[in-house]
Amino acid sequence: GSSLTPTSYGKQLAKGIRARGSKIPIYYPTVLQLGTDYAQKPRVYKINGTGEGSPPRGQRAAYKWIFSRPALGEYYGFTATRWTDPPILDDPDDERTIKGRDYKFYYENDRLRLVAWQTDEGSFWLSNTLIESLSNNEMLRIAEGFRELGGTG
C-alpha cells in the first residue's frame, strides 16, 4: 500500500529558491512519503566542471530538495537543473505521459530509481533512497505531486 501525506511547507520553502534568484522553473512537493522530513532547505548551486559530461555554460544552475525518512540516514531527493541533457538521464527504461507531463523511468531491477521529466527550460528528477525504500507507486505519486511555483504565488 502507498503511504503518502500532503505537505504544504514545500511551497513556502520554494519561495526561498526564488529569492536566491534561481533561473530554473521552481518545483515543490505537494505529497511526500509518510514520516518524511525536509532534511534541509532546498540548496541552490551551480554544477561545475568542464569538458565531457559537464553542462554547457548557461546551463549550470541547479537546486536540490533533500527529504529524510524516519530510518536513520535514509534520504530521497529532487534535483532540478537548467542542463537540458544531463548524462544521468540518458537511456530511460520506460517513458509515459501522465497529465500532460512526459515522464522517464529508470529502474534498478524492478525498483524505480529515478523518475524524471525534461522541458526546454531544464531537467527535473526524483531520486529514490540508496536502498530504494520508496515503492514504485510512491515514486510516481510524489513525482506527479511536484508543482511549479507561479510567478506571483
Side-chain angles (χ1 to χ4, degrees), residues 11-26:
K11 187 171 187 178
Q12 231 176 300
L13 289 174
K15 293 176 182 177
I17 302 176
R18 185 160 60 205
R20 297 273 313 269
S22 183
K23 303 280 189 290
I24 322 167
I26 298 167

Side-chain angles (χ1 to χ4, degrees), residues 11 38 40 45 48 63 89 107 114 127 131 139 144 152:
K11 187 171 187 178
Y38 291 87
Q40 55 187 62
Y45 63 102
N48 292 317
Y63 63 85
L89 301 185
Y107 289 90
L114 298 177
S127 344
I131 58 170
M139 284 286 289
E144 283 185 82
T152 53

Side-chain angles (χ1 to χ4, degrees), residues 92-151:
D93 296 304
D94 193 16
E95 304 193 37
R96 229 163 55 220
T97 301
I98 303 165
K99 297 177 189 152
R101 199 182 274 171
D102 297 326
Y103 291 99
K104 296 180 179 183
F105 300 97
Y106 305 79
Y107 289 90
E108 193 157 341
N109 303 316
D110 58 348
R111 295 293 272 199
L112 259 179
R113 190 171 54 84
L114 298 177
V115 177
W117 68 93
Q118 291 173 283
T119 71
D120 295 340
E121 296 184 280
S123 304
F124 312 91
W125 65 92
L126 177 71
S127 344
N128 209 333
T129 66
L130 285 175
I131 58 170
E132 271 119 30
S133 32
L134 275 65
S135 73
N136 294 356
N137 182 51
E138 286 171 335
M139 284 286 289
L140 180 56
R141 298 270 306 280
I142 291 168
E144 283 185 82
F146 270 82
R147 296 275 172 276
E148 192 172 346
L149 190 64

